[in-house]
Amino acid sequence: MFVKEAYLPARPAPAPGEAAETGRAIDAVFVTALEAELGMAYRLAGYLLADSAEAQDAVQEASVRAWRGWPRLRERDRFHAWFSQILVNVCRTRLRQRSRRRTVDVDEVDLEGGDPFRASLARDAVGRALSVLSDELRIVVIMRFWGDMPLAEIAERLGIPVGTVKSRLHAAMQALRRRIGPMEGGIA
Amino acid sequence: MSADRFGDLDDVDIEERLRLFARNSRTPPLPEEIQALPWTVQLEQRPRRILGFLPDAWFSLDSLRSPALAVMRLAATLAVAVAFVALVTQARSRTGSADYLLAPPSPGASVPGVPGAAGAAPEVVLVPTSGVVDDVMADHVAGAIRKAESDKAAVVVIQLDTLGGSGAAMQRIVESLYADVPTIVWVGPSGAKAASAGTFITLAANLAYMAPSTNIGAASPVAANGSDLASVYGQTEADKVMQDAIATITGIAQHRHPLAVAWAVSTVQSARSYSAQDALDAHAVNGLASSVNDVLSQVDGQTVTTTAGETVIHVKDANVVTVNEDAFQAILHTLDDPNIAFMLLVIGVLCVLVEFFHPTLLVGLTGALALALSFYGSGSLPLNILGVVLVVLGIVMVVLETGVPSHGLLTAAGLVIFLVGAVAFYGSPGPYRPDVSVAWPIIVTMTVLAALYGLVLVRTLMSMRRLAVPAGSGMVGTVNPIGEGGEVQADLSPLGTVFVCGESWTARAADGRSLPRGTMVRVIRQEGLTLVVEAAGTPERAAQ
């Protein structure tokens, strides 16, 4: 409980022998695999959390978890699926924690603040309306459209049936339409 | 806002629009330090320190701002304190009495005369008591009588001076007075009282003596011509407790003398108080005695009926052994003092409230402990619920000054309420309960202290509030950004964002034109939370 994990970025990879005290060296296969994921991961986390700083934290946390789980990963060609699953879990945890501690709806108050993700979402009414969705609905929408994931993949990542993904998407669309409908035609 | 032109939308439209929007929304680059793989991940080895967790605990306490957590923590603190007091009380009743202070490990081996053998000097156990009748006094008296029984002492003399106290404790003392050893109550020295519960105890002993100019009877004597008052009091107070008390004292007084019954009932029913001579005339006590030795000389040779049968008292040249409260009993007994119970409550409430606003474990623990001790002590006192509520409310109001800006009004009102509550802290005495109130000097002192606390608080807060708004920083509604310069953050088309006074504001241009990001602007006026700006000269498109 009191053991703190320190994520120390930007340190040169330790030479194989040197890394003894930190546990083990980071191997090149892992680095290559992870580097390929980072861009999409940041995009997903960013639009899901609508906060670049938190998205960076989420990506980093997911990376660290992946690294720690790496020795246990048998099928290394499934790294993409495995990593995005970790990332989604990290983001969901963060959303849950945030809803517990947040009192002011940031998305409502500070739509066009400095954050690039929030600014990007705020460009369109449909983006702004996303904030009314519940976390469970929003995560499906973001994965579907920003992550370009097919329904089956979303279902697998979230651990829910495909039918549930469909119904959640539908519910999200309806909620968005209800939200956007009356605002159409004027400047929000 | 370009996409805002859709009309009626169905799912497909919304989906299409989302897909388009998502495809067109770019992802900002991941910062270097996160992208630069690989990281090294280290499990920080914390040095093993004893109490090394304390800073963590401290920090986490400090960061727990949520009221729910604060309440839970308070509850836990209270529980700990109550458990502590319960434990202590339990431990006390285990050891039970003062026995161990006097009885040597092998009783009778070294103390001559203790076994009461013929020829040895008889032993008299003297039990001095004072203050409120409570469980501590009951333990003390019962323990001393048990000791006297096991030592085969000649008599037990209980020296009594009390205003009354708890009915349950009184009952325990009365029961312990029916013992194998003859029991004598001496109300003394001069000036002492055997009021309320004390009357019951006095009458229950085998023999009772009073020093000259002592009183016995109700705690609050009625006026000399108060027969009306007495009857009114008798009617209004004729509830279950009163009936029970009358029954009890009737039983006790019948043991003593048939003529004493009516007299004894009048002390309860009409709340009457009698002098020592009155009590003697009413056959309620056996005589007047100015000292313990006087008592002993008068009882010598008398025959009394104890639970062991008829006993003739022989106390000539007796060896008087005084059984005092042990140190722990003395401390607990002090808690029953009306002033101390009051102060403990005030301190407890104050500490608990301060803990609530400024969490530090120590203060909360102290407060909870003080509260628990106060509750323990006031168990034998006639607390007036209204008074307690007012006192607590007063303190709460003074402390609330922290959170609610009222320019001292809350403090002032709180102090008045506190004062009223303190005066009315103890209510009317019942048949057993003592007639007490909080001493004036203590009320005044506590009020002044609370006022000082409030003053310091208000002054500190005021200076803090002044400090909290440094000139030019943009607290919404407090700083006027008009005239300040700034920069367009998101295009004004016509509504956008400008960065002024260190924060982002929604803004539009005065002439309704659109200004691109990066344009330097000046604030002309404020409309609600929207700033009206004009371009401030420099960049390309600033025509005006």
Side-chain angles (χ1 to χ4, degrees):
Chain A
M1 178 181 177
F2 294 122
V3 175
K4 266 192 190 158
E5 280 174 293
Y7 310 144
L8 306 174
R11 281 258 298 265
E18 187 188 337
E21 81 266 35
T22 64
R24 61 177 202 276
I26 292 181
D27 62 88
V29 185
F30 175 77
V31 171
T32 320
L34 182 59
E35 261 172 349
E37 300 292 331
L38 285 179
M40 181 50 89
Y42 186 45
R43 178 177 171 86
L44 263 184
Y47 281 104
L48 194 53
L49 300 166
D51 182 328
S52 56
E54 214 173 342
Q56 287 161 24
D57 283 353
V59 170
Q60 201 167 30
E61 192 182 333
S63 304
V64 171
R65 283 197 196 180
W67 177 76
R68 295 168 83 182
W70 174 247
R72 290 190 300 278
L73 181 66
R74 292 273 169 78
E75 310 157 73
R76 302 221 155 156
D77 51 333
R78 277 181 52 79
F79 183 85
H80 167 74
W82 179 67
F83 180 75
S84 47
Q85 177 111 41
I86 295 176
L87 181 83
V88 166
N89 283 337
V90 168
C91 288
R92 288 166 99 185
T93 310
R94 278 173 181 270
L95 279 175
R96 211 176 311 127
Q97 283 168 350
R98 188 163 67 177
S99 68
R100 211 176 295 146
R101 61 168 194 258
R102 185 173 57 184
T103 49
V104 180
D105 195 342
V106 183
D107 299 325
E108 296 277 290
V109 173
D110 193 15
L111 275 181
E112 306 183 17
D115 195 88
F117 288 106
R118 222 172 299 152
S120 174
L121 281 174
R123 279 189 299 118
D124 191 300
V126 75
R128 291 192 295 274
L130 280 178
S131 66
V132 302
L133 297 182
S134 71
D135 289 343
E136 285 305 325
L137 294 188
R138 193 144 44 95
I139 202 166
V140 175
V141 172
I142 298 289
M143 286 169 90
R144 178 79 186 88
F145 298 108
W146 274 262
D148 267 332
M149 294 185 188
L151 295 184
E153 191 179 346
I154 298 175
E156 196 195 331
R157 298 289 175 276
L158 294 177
I160 54 177
V162 178
T164 312
V165 176
K166 277 186 188 156
S167 68
R168 283 190 187 172
L169 263 181
H170 180 68
M173 293 307 128
Q174 295 218 316
L176 288 178
R177 188 172 51 186
R178 267 198 305 278
R179 173 78 173 180
I180 296 175
M183 286 164 33
E184 289 298 333
I187 290 172
Chain B
M1 325 233 159
S2 52
D4 280 358
R5 54 184 157 17
F6 290 90
D8 247 2
L9 297 161
D10 55 16
D11 263 17
V12 181
D13 286 335
I14 280 273
E15 266 196 64
E16 195 49 43
R17 181 166 162 183
L18 265 173
R19 186 165 289 124
L20 255 174
F21 177 51
R23 195 157 293 158
N24 290 333
S25 43
R26 54 181 195 93
T27 308
L30 195 61
E32 282 281 305
E33 70 267 21
I34 296 185
Q35 208 164 20
L37 284 171
W39 316 293
T40 55
V41 180
Q42 294 182 332
L43 284 181
E44 193 179 300
Q45 289 292 322
R46 291 178 67 83
R48 281 169 204 276
R49 279 173 298 157
I50 303 169
L51 299 181
F53 64 91
L54 271 185
D56 278 320
W58 206 252
F59 176 75
S60 63
L61 278 178
D62 212 40
S63 60
L64 295 178
R65 292 293 178 210
S66 142
L69 279 168
V71 167
M72 272 166 57
R73 200 178 53 246
L74 263 184
T77 318
L78 268 174
V80 168
V82 168
F84 174 76
V85 171
L87 210 72
V88 163
T89 323
Q90 199 63 28
R92 177 176 61 86
S93 54
R94 283 281 160 67
T95 53
S97 68
D99 290 12
Y100 60 93
L101 278 187
L102 287 154
S106 50
S110 56
V111 182
V114 164
E123 183 185 286
V124 170
V125 174
L126 175 63
V127 190
T129 67
S130 64
V132 172
V133 176
D134 59 2
D135 281 335
V136 178
M137 188 191 277
D139 282 343
H140 177 208
V141 170
I145 291 176
R146 265 204 309 276
K147 170 189 157 46
E149 283 175 337
S150 67
D151 287 358
K152 307 216 180 321
V155 292
V156 176
V157 178
I158 291 149
Q159 182 183 344
L160 192 65
D161 178 9
T162 182
L163 286 172
S166 130
M170 181 275 292
Q171 202 70 44
R172 281 183 57 201
I173 296 180
V174 166
E175 278 159 17
S176 68
L177 284 175
Y178 295 112
D180 287 351
V181 61
T183 51
I184 300 167
V185 165
W186 175 56
V187 182
S190 290
K193 284 184 192 317
S196 300
T199 310
F200 292 71
I201 295 171
T202 309
L203 297 183
N206 290 125
L207 297 168
Y209 291 86
M210 293 175 74
S213 63
T214 53
N215 282 318
I216 188 169
S220 47
V222 291
N225 58 348
S227 51
D228 285 346
L229 179 59
S231 64
V232 169
Y233 188 62
Q235 279 161 16
T236 52
E237 295 288 303
D239 53 8
K240 274 191 199 162
V241 180
M242 181 61 77
Q243 293 303 333
D244 179 58
I246 290 172
T248 309
I249 202 153
T250 305
I252 292 174
Q254 264 165 354
H255 264 283
R256 175 155 292 282
H257 197 285
L259 288 177
V261 173
W263 175 91
V265 168
S266 78
T267 63
V268 175
Q269 195 163 37
S270 325
R272 293 196 65 139
S273 185
Y274 295 94
S275 70
Q277 188 61 50
D278 289 341
L280 181 60
D281 294 344
H283 304 283
V285 298
N286 300 73
L288 303 185
S290 51
S291 68
V292 176
N293 283 335
D294 196 358
V295 170
L296 292 181
S297 67
Q298 291 191 40
V299 300
D300 194 35
Q302 291 208 40
T303 307
V304 295
T305 309
T306 66
T307 51
E310 299 243 321
T311 313
V312 181
I313 299 173
H314 294 293
V315 286
K316 216 169 174 61
D317 304 320
N319 186 18
V320 177
V321 177
T322 306
V323 178
N324 282 308
E325 294 171 328
D326 63 57
F328 191 71
Q329 285 177 329
I331 291 173
L332 279 180
H333 197 49
T334 330
L335 295 177
D336 290 334
D337 186 285
N339 294 322
I340 294 196
F342 170 74
M343 283 195 290
L344 279 175
L345 180 86
V346 172
I347 292 171
V349 171
L350 200 62
C351 286
V352 166
L353 284 175
V354 167
E355 164 79 16
F356 197 79
F357 289 108
H358 317 282
T360 57
L361 201 57
L362 202 64
V363 178
L365 209 58
T366 312
L369 207 59
L371 270 185
L373 290 178
S374 163
F375 291 146
Y376 178 84
S378 52
S380 315
L381 297 169
L383 275 188
N384 180 5
I385 296 301
L386 182 68
V388 176
V389 168
L390 286 180
V391 164
V392 172
L393 188 68
I395 301 173
V396 168
M397 286 173 76
V398 171
V399 173
L400 266 188
E401 183 78 42
T402 331
V404 186
S406 73
H407 308 289
L409 274 180
L410 261 179
T411 306
L415 286 179
V416 172
I417 291 178
F418 177 82
L419 201 66
V420 172
V423 173
F425 198 70
Y426 295 110
S428 60
Y432 313 115
R433 294 299 163 103
D435 183 19
V436 291
S437 57
V438 185
W440 269 107
I442 295 203
I443 296 182
V444 172
T445 312
M446 293 312 255
T447 312
V448 168
L449 276 181
L452 282 178
Y453 175 80
L455 266 182
V456 169
L457 209 64
V458 170
R459 288 198 53 175
T460 317
L461 283 174
M462 282 185 165
S463 58
M464 272 171 64
R465 286 193 187 126
R466 267 200 297 275
L467 281 177
V469 191
S473 85
M475 272 187 71
V476 174
T478 55
V479 168
N480 192 347
I482 291 169
E484 298 288 331
E487 185 184 347
V488 175
Q489 230 176 3
D491 299 358
L492 307 187
S493 59
L495 218 57
T497 319
V498 295
F499 193 75
V500 185
C501 291
E503 58 181 15
S504 301
W505 289 78
T506 309
R508 63 179 178 81
D511 48 9
R513 298 172 48 170
S514 55
L515 295 176
R517 180 183 159 86
T519 317
M520 301 307 288
V521 292
R522 204 164 56 79
V523 180
I524 310 176
R525 60 176 188 276
Q526 186 178 352
E527 293 174 354
L529 285 177
T530 306
L531 298 183
V532 179
V533 299
E534 61 178 9
T538 30
E540 328 85 83
R541 254 204 284 170
Q544 198 207 346

